Amino acid sequence: MRKLLAATALAGSMAFAGLAVAPAAQAATTASASTASASWGKYYSSNNKAYTYGKTYKSGSKVYTHWYGKEYSPKHGYVWFKYYSGGKWHKFYRHWNGSYDATWSGKGIKKIYTWTCWGGKYKYCGSQHRIWG
């Protein structure tokens, strides 16, 4: 009980003395408002032989997606991205062998979905996951 009272008294005296906890918290809030981000993954192919993960974030007017792909076989892994921008949906894929990472970006992106395939761009595809918006 004495420890609780001492901690409460210390916290009260710090607030009364005007020690700057609030400005640091305010600066952190302002920084996070200007650059939102979301980490995602590991999203596996349906046979679990390939997976992708990454981070999607907004900086200025662009949305960036930095992704990593892993697969360990003679075949390729495939990552698909489907995004909504300019009033319509767009879709593209990237393939890799072994380990890979890349970044792509676009302006005006509202939503992004991703999924992972292995052995072909339409083979052993995992489920779609919303990673932005």
Side-chain angles (χ1 to χ4, degrees):
M1 183 69 175
R2 280 189 245 165
K3 289 181 182 178
L4 178 64
L5 290 174
T8 305
L10 181 61
S13 67
M14 290 171 80
F16 184 74
L19 294 175
V21 174
Q26 184 179 10
T29 304
T30 305
S32 66
S34 63
T35 55
S37 66
S39 294
W40 51 270
K42 296 179 174 178
Y43 297 143
Y44 286 86
S45 60
S46 64
N47 63 358
N48 292 326
K49 291 191 177 187
Y51 66 88
T52 54
Y53 63 96
K55 184 174 186 173
T56 302
Y57 56 95
K58 185 170 186 172
S59 182
S61 63
K62 282 188 167 185
V63 174
Y64 294 85
T65 298
H66 188 143
W67 64 274
Y68 300 86
K70 302 276 187 190
E71 72 84 33
Y72 303 101
S73 73
K75 296 192 177 187
H76 286 85
Y78 292 78
V79 62
W80 282 90
F81 294 101
K82 181 172 83 170
Y83 65 95
Y84 188 79
S85 177
K88 57 186 170 180
W89 287 97
H90 308 270
K91 189 164 60 168
F92 69 94
Y93 72 92
R94 298 289 183 257
H95 71 279
W96 77 94
N97 196 10
S99 297
Y100 193 76
D101 75 292
T103 302
W104 64 274
S105 65
K107 287 186 177 183
I109 294 176
K110 304 294 183 201
K111 297 177 186 177
I112 304 174
Y113 289 85
T114 189
W115 62 97
T116 306
C117 303
W118 178 84
K121 57 186 176 179
Y122 303 113
K123 289 183 167 183
Y124 301 105
C125 294
S127 57
Q128 286 190 28
H129 301 275
R130 188 172 178 170
I131 60 171
W132 187 259

